[in-house]
Amino acid sequence: MVEEEMVMVYEGGDGWAGLMTVVKADDDGGRRWSGMGTAPDAGQMIEILLKLVGAKKTIPDVGKIVAIDMNRESYEIGRPVIEKAKVEHKIDFIESEALPALDKILENRDNEGSFDFAFVDADKINYTNYHERLMRLLKVNGIVVYDNTLWFGSVAQAESSTDDRYKEGRMNTIKFNKSLALDPRVDISLVPLGDGITICRRLC
């Protein structure tokens, strides 16, 4: 579940279609850019994880994706990629902040324990709040992947040597990483791909 620009499209055998930078012309002749949602090597890892868990609430015939973003423009920029993959009908896009959207999903008790997989690339200060909600939505042995858990490598640096631009994110990321390490509900692995992805498997 995300609150930043991201296009994530799985095309089956052809791999990830939405990891390249997308450029689209504005009506006034300008150009809009959407940044890379996650690194290609991290995307390939996620593809493997989806296959391993037999994810159904993703792109297979019996599944779907629930995508949350505050900015619909990011989704619209990626729409040509989604249409090319012929999966638009499988994506439930929710234009909203993530926390109220997740709470709304949880109002339906049938959704608890029904999700196979989640990917989070959002505001780091709320990662713990997302995690608590996703633990209710994921089925046992379901997987959630958190992006940017190395935070430009700053989590391994002393605060005194960290660029001021990264200090707040570093503090929030370290706090979140520590909370995951102590969470008995999950197995975790922090993988140094892209800006760091942490893979969590729900145990109970």
Side-chain angles (χ1 to χ4, degrees), residues 145-163:
V145 174
Y146 296 97
D147 204 8
N148 307 119
T149 49
L150 290 178
W151 199 243
F152 306 99
S154 66
V155 297
Q157 299 174 343
E159 184 177 5
S160 59
S161 62
T162 301
D163 189 297

Side-chain angles (χ1 to χ4, degrees), residues 124-129 131-132 146 148-151 154-156 166-183 188 190 198:
K124 306 306 173 260
I125 196 170
N126 271 313
Y127 263 28
T128 300
N129 292 323
H131 184 69
E132 290 305 313
Y146 296 97
N148 307 119
T149 49
L150 290 178
W151 199 243
S154 66
V155 297
Y166 304 137
K167 284 185 175 179
E168 183 178 3
R170 171 188 176 275
M171 179 182 65
N172 290 327
T173 304
I174 289 175
K175 181 179 178 181
F176 176 66
N177 289 344
K178 287 181 177 179
S179 73
L180 288 183
L182 297 173
D183 189 343
I188 68 169
L190 199 165
T198 297

Side-chain angles (χ1 to χ4, degrees), residues 15-57:
W16 290 82
L19 293 175
M20 70 292 289
T21 300
V22 178
V23 182
K24 184 177 180 180
D26 282 325
D27 292 338
D28 60 5
R31 303 210 299 178
R32 293 181 292 162
W33 297 77
S34 73
M36 188 176 293
T38 193
D41 49 2
Q44 290 172 340
M45 170 68 79
I46 291 169
E47 178 182 358
I48 291 171
L49 292 173
L50 286 166
K51 291 177 178 178
L52 286 174
V53 300
K56 294 181 179 179
K57 285 205 171 179

